[in-house]
Amino acid sequence: MTDTIPNPESEGPSGGWGSVKSIARILGDDKPSPMVLEELARQNKPGGVMCVSCAWPKPANYHPFEFCENGAKATISDLTSARCTPGFWSDHTVQSLRGWKDYDLEQTGRLTHPLRYDEASDRYVEVSWDQAFDDIGQTLKSLPRESVVFYSSGHAGLEASYLYALLARTYGNNNLPQSSNMCHETTSVGLQKVIGSPVGTVVWEDLEKADAFFFFGQNPGSNSPRFLHPLQEAKKRGAKIVTFNPVVEQGLVSFVNPQSPVDMLTGRETQISDEYLQVKAGGDIAAILGLCKVVVEADDAAVSTGAARVLDIAFIDEHTVGLESFIDLVRSTDWSVIEKESGLTETAIRGAGELYIQAERVIGVYGMGLTQHSQGALNVAMVVNLLLLRGNIGREGAGCCPVRGHSNVQGQRTVGIAEKAKLIPMDKLKALFDFDPPTEDGVTIVDAVKGMMSGQIKATISLGGNLVRAVPDQKAMEEAWASQDLTVVVSTKLNRSHLFPGKKAYILPCLSRLERDEQASGPQSVTTEDSFSHISGSVGKRTPASKHLKSELAIVTSIAKATVAPNPKLKWDEWTADYSLVRDLIEATYPDQFGAYNERMFEPSGFYRGNSAHDRVWKTEEKKAVFTTPKQLNALSFDDAEGRLRLITMRSNDQFNTTIYGYSDRFRGIEGTRDVLLMCREDIRSAGLSEGQEVKLVSDFNDGVRRELAGLKVREHNLPRGTIGAYYPEANVLIAIDHHDELSKTPASKAVPVRIEA
Ligand SMILES: Nc1nc2c(c(=O)[nH]1)N[C@H]1C(S)=C(S)[C@@H](COP(=O)(O)OP(=O)(O)OC[C@H]3O[C@@H](n4cnc5c(=O)[nH]c(N)nc54)[C@H](O)[C@@H]3O)O[C@H]1N2
Ligand SMILES: Nc1nc2c(c(=O)[nH]1)N[C@H]1C(S)=C(S)[C@@H](COP(=O)(O)OP(=O)(O)OC[C@H]3O[C@@H](n4cnc5c(=O)[nH]c(N)nc54)[C@H](O)[C@@H]3O)O[C@H]1N2
Ligand SMILES: [Mo]
């Protein structure tokens, strides 16, 4: 079916020469240091450096080059020779930079000195580290504890992250939201509810044994390209791949392995998806219900003829609750309703359902296409329903595979960066550090943004990230962020968040993980956790971009020393001198997961910290895996009013979140611009528009607030009717902060209700 999917826009298969050319272009125009290729060769191998881009696992049997196009871009971007020195500010005011694109800010290069915002000149000026920490500490001490937020983006290693969480708690709150609050918090909350584990259950060996992969709203070609290697292997041994995605993503259609000389010379493509179902945005609940209907119908037929059951009855009886009410809904829901809600035909869903039944071992993969919806957690629960029907969780070659974003986003949560107090072993912290940890829950990102808007949040420390640009309601957020008493952003590069300084504002420049981290006891290494819950050591070798940089860990402990009352148990200086002591603390806090941490951190593919659901131990309220009966058949919080469209906010192949490397989205055939509105031909025609026409998008959320994005050029794209696409983060101005997953508060960025104004 896939090979007939028209994708005329694409320049060809993902991977292949296109990928090599794309890296070469970045190498050419980003002025990398000469050591880039050597650095790439060390990537994701034992004793090497763990990629600064995404959280895809590191296989024990690694390739000679275990990196991908986007890992290479992230590496090159960190190793650029361009520098954003204090001198940059003699030519630019903060106000003037607000007109710059994200791409242009990124091109200014690595930050070199700590900076303080000077209101009189509207510029950042150089400041000494000591002065910065002193002022930050004084200000934090003067503020109500609950008014300060400690945000982190998922870059920093486990050691710095553990101490950052300790900083917040010894300061006096659990205000530790993270980038996953905009991302896989739906998984942390939704998956926990139904299988008792907040993270995926599969490990690398499962990829090698699976008979089928079902992809729901995850785009490996752009966002986790090394996933394409095990998928290629899977196809070679006859495994099937089925994709549900409104957009025809090239990486899920075909792949040429850029690291296979034979494939590259012959242009030999591997077809990836056997079935590609272009579900409507927000239509997965109905689509998966349809798959379940195929399974249940086949099982009913087997029962009536006395053939072997299609449901895994032994597993269901022993391990699950809730099947009956779910099956009642499956039986009573008409195909016509499923077709209408999903936008797919019964025939297409039946074809996919047959592949599900034929496969003995199935992995369900998902990403932002499921999590970023009003009913994102229900989407996740539906994937679990499908897997549970045939015992596809906690068994070799099967399981649930949420693909995580930032390189250490999952790990930061593991070691204590969490706003939910019940997730933290507070008794351990109390015993280890002799203080009374705060017991009240902290804020999520949505709460934090609303708190800034209402004036209740007065200061934010950001360990990485670009919060102002990443959150919904971005225009209002810019004002709200700048109204705070203090903003501190620990960064490698200039970004838009820096351009809305609080009354006091600091930019604290840090080392990249690629760089040598020298402390009093010698060179340090750090650790990160990947999507499969494996922990790997990472050794930075490159010369730091500036001699004034500090490590993230050293910045965290310096803020802590300036802020938190002295306590002999809080040995911030000793920990900074030797990170292995911090790993001992992590082990003492989480002994079941981090045993022999320092000894095991350089094991090939990292060490596994375990996962209960992987072993069919269900830490849910019911002590079983839970079938969820969906209360609605789409993932939306609005209906299809006349003229209302569902906007997907998308990533290009030339960006990492708010970092824009360039203007080439070659898989989708979009070059030289990001100001596009993707629509199918029928939608263009029925809206009375034509290709190339400039339009304005306006929000159609039910709160009456005017939100708009102008200057988008209409472009025909292969999409289901009623589903349109524009790029993130540019489109974030259109999303209401109150439009989020009901359970986890993850912003609903994949079906934003909008209208078009010509
Ligand atoms: N190169 C690169 N790599 C990255 C990132 C990056 O920006 N660039 N970001 C990193 C981060 S933080 C994350 S979280 C991950 C994100 O990686 P992904 O989870 O892949 O996220 P997206 O690309 O936002 O969306 C995934 C897919 O969902 C589809 N989709 C949209 N709406 C729906 C829907 O309603 N149903 C279904 N079934 N599909 C839908 C989109 O078409 C898209 O193909 O990638 C990480 N890796
Ligand atoms: N509309 C819409 N909004 C979205 C999404 C979407 O799909 N659609 N996706 C959401 C998702 S999945 C996520 S994860 C968030 C991302 O939100 P964030 O994590 O806040 O944003 P990033 O763009 O990843 O942050 C980039 C900045 O991090 C800094 N940085 C880079 N490397 C390092 C480092 O090693 N250390 C430190 N300290 N700083 C570093 C640089 O200064 C860079 O400018 O956005 C979310 N927002
Ligand atoms: Mo993410």
Side-chain angles (χ1 to χ4, degrees), residues 47 89 99 108 144 244 270 273 286 289 297 325 380 411 417 437 480 518 566 581 606 618 622 636 647 679 694 717:
W89 300 94
T108 62
F244 290 79
T270 302
S273 295
L289 197 81
E297 285 176 3
S325 100
V380 172
I417 292 191
E518 286 282 351
L581 300 176
W618 317 102
E622 297 83 352
L636 312 176
L647 172 72
M679 303 175 74
E694 215 172 277
H717 206 78

Side-chain angles (χ1 to χ4, degrees), residues 301-475:
V303 170
S304 70
T305 61
R309 295 289 297 262
V310 178
L311 299 184
D312 185 342
I313 293 296
F315 169 81
I316 290 172
D317 285 349
E318 188 185 343
H319 290 284
T320 72
V321 293
L323 177 72
E324 269 176 37
S325 100
F326 176 62
I327 270 199
D328 284 349
L329 180 76
V330 169
R331 291 208 173 99
S332 64
T333 308
D334 248 32
W335 277 109
S336 61
V337 178
I338 292 173
E339 287 190 328
K340 177 175 165 286
E341 292 290 351
S342 67
L344 300 169
T345 63
E346 177 184 340
T347 315
I349 297 177
R350 280 195 184 280
E354 285 307 322
L355 290 182
Y356 179 72
I357 293 172
Q358 284 157 19
E360 205 183 309
R361 304 178 177 92
V362 178
I363 292 179
V365 183
Y366 69 87
M368 297 301 100
L370 287 203
T371 64
Q372 294 177 332
H373 282 291
S374 301
Q375 292 297 332
L378 201 49
N379 273 334
V380 172
M382 285 301 293
V383 174
V384 168
N385 285 344
L386 175 68
L387 294 172
L388 292 178
L389 286 178
R390 288 181 40 82
N392 274 315
I393 298 187
R395 179 158 70 84
E396 198 174 58
C400 189
C401 180
V403 182
R404 305 299 301 246
H406 285 297
S407 55
N408 195 32
V409 66
Q410 183 168 315
Q412 293 190 332
R413 289 302 208 193
T414 302
V415 297
I417 292 191
E419 68 280 5
K420 297 174 184 74
K422 67 166 194 237
L423 299 178
I424 304 302
M426 298 293 187
D427 50 330
K428 289 259 172 42
L429 297 183
K430 187 177 163 80
L432 279 168
F433 305 111
D434 194 18
F435 77 114
D436 287 316
T439 49
E440 247 181 61
D441 278 351
V443 293
T444 61
I445 284 295
V446 165
D447 302 331
V449 170
K450 292 176 76 168
M452 287 172 209
M453 290 173 176
S454 70
Q456 275 161 319
I457 297 296
K458 298 182 190 310
T460 301
I461 315 290
S462 276
L463 186 58
N466 185 4
L467 196 54
V468 172
R469 194 67 169 141
V471 299
D473 258 331
Q474 199 202 306
K475 259 224 153 87

Side-chain angles (χ1 to χ4, degrees), residues 141-274:
K141 280 193 273 191
S142 74
L143 290 170
R145 296 306 185 251
E146 67 282 2
S147 72
V148 175
V149 169
F150 297 87
Y151 170 67
S152 41
S153 161
H155 287 277
L158 293 168
E159 296 79 0
S161 301
Y162 178 86
L163 294 183
Y164 190 60
L166 186 62
L167 157 63
R169 296 200 169 95
T170 51
Y171 173 70
N173 70 37
N174 284 307
N175 283 346
L176 285 156
Q178 192 215 18
S179 51
S180 62
N181 285 98
M182 300 173 267
C183 179
H184 268 293
E185 188 61 16
T186 320
T187 299
S188 310
V189 175
L191 206 54
Q192 175 72 41
K193 191 170 171 214
V194 293
I195 64 167
S197 168
V199 300
T201 67
V202 301
V203 295
W204 192 271
E205 292 68 37
D206 295 322
L207 302 180
E208 293 169 345
K209 303 260 164 60
D211 303 314
F213 293 80
F214 275 63
F215 273 83
F216 299 95
Q218 200 270 334
N219 183 15
S222 286
N223 299 334
S224 49
R226 288 186 302 113
F227 196 169
L228 297 177
H229 298 222
L231 289 180
Q232 193 185 30
E233 293 303 318
K235 292 297 298 206
K236 278 189 200 153
R237 59 167 201 273
K240 301 290 183 198
I241 296 178
V242 177
T243 296
F244 290 79
N245 195 318
V247 184
V248 180
E249 303 287 22
Q250 188 55 43
L252 287 159
V253 175
S254 64
F255 173 58
V256 172
N257 187 346
Q259 305 200 339
S260 157
V262 178
D263 286 5
M264 287 293 276
L265 287 172
T266 58
R268 186 167 65 198
E269 298 179 20
T270 302
Q271 180 202 326
I272 300 286
S273 295
D274 296 273

Side-chain angles (χ1 to χ4, degrees), residues 84 86 89 109-117 124-140 149-151 155-156 164 167 460-466 481 486-495 497-499 501 504-512 515 545-563:
C84 183
W89 300 94
R110 289 288 298 278
L111 292 158
T112 57
H113 290 69
L115 301 168
R116 174 181 67 80
Y117 178 63
Y124 279 94
V125 294
E126 193 179 339
V127 63
S128 76
W129 282 105
D130 285 346
Q131 273 177 325
F133 292 134
D134 191 53
D135 191 23
I136 293 167
Q138 293 301 336
T139 310
L140 291 179
V149 169
F150 297 87
Y151 170 67
H155 287 277
Y164 190 60
L167 157 63
T460 301
I461 315 290
S462 276
L463 186 58
N466 185 4
W481 178 262
L486 174 70
T487 55
V488 178
V489 189
V490 181
S491 308
T492 49
K493 296 268 186 80
L494 196 60
N495 66 45
S497 294
H498 303 129
L499 307 183
K504 286 181 175 175
Y506 288 91
I507 300 175
L508 304 181
C510 67
L511 292 173
S512 149
E515 291 166 339
S546 148
K547 63 176 194 278
H548 305 287
L549 302 182
K550 280 188 187 292
S551 74
E552 290 175 307
L553 188 143
I555 293 172
V556 168
T557 53
S558 302
I559 295 177
K561 272 176 60 178
T563 309

Side-chain angles (χ1 to χ4, degrees), residues 447-617:
D447 302 331
V449 170
K450 292 176 76 168
M452 287 172 209
M453 290 173 176
S454 70
Q456 275 161 319
I457 297 296
K458 298 182 190 310
T460 301
I461 315 290
S462 276
L463 186 58
N466 185 4
L467 196 54
V468 172
R469 194 67 169 141
V471 299
D473 258 331
Q474 199 202 306
K475 259 224 153 87
M477 172 62 168
E478 292 178 349
E479 267 176 49
W481 178 262
S483 73
Q484 297 183 89
D485 291 341
L486 174 70
T487 55
V488 178
V489 189
V490 181
S491 308
T492 49
K493 296 268 186 80
L494 196 60
N495 66 45
R496 196 162 174 86
S497 294
H498 303 129
L499 307 183
F500 296 86
K503 288 173 198 131
K504 286 181 175 175
Y506 288 91
I507 300 175
L508 304 181
C510 67
L511 292 173
S512 149
R513 189 149 71 229
L514 303 168
E515 291 166 339
R516 222 170 34 241
D517 182 355
E518 286 282 351
Q519 302 294 346
S521 76
Q524 304 298 310
S525 42
V526 300
T527 45
T528 58
E529 175 180 334
D530 62 37
S531 278
F532 292 177
S533 308
H534 283 61
I535 318 281
S536 298
S538 178
V539 188
K541 287 264 165 83
R542 302 269 66 94
T543 303
S546 148
K547 63 176 194 278
H548 305 287
L549 302 182
K550 280 188 187 292
S551 74
E552 290 175 307
L553 188 143
I555 293 172
V556 168
T557 53
S558 302
I559 295 177
K561 272 176 60 178
T563 309
V564 176
N567 160 347
K569 294 279 175 69
L570 297 174
K571 302 174 184 172
W572 306 111
D573 285 332
E574 284 176 43
W575 300 333
T576 309
D578 182 356
Y579 297 0
S580 73
L581 300 176
V582 184
R583 289 188 283 274
D584 290 340
L585 295 174
I586 296 175
E587 183 173 344
T589 314
Y590 305 95
D592 300 343
Q593 301 173 57
F594 287 88
Y597 189 177
N598 276 302
E599 292 85 86
R600 295 197 293 158
M601 61 187 269
F602 291 112
E603 283 179 7
S605 88
F607 69 85
Y608 187 38
R609 69 173 176 87
N611 177 321
S612 50
H614 174 84
D615 303 326
R616 293 194 167 174
V617 173

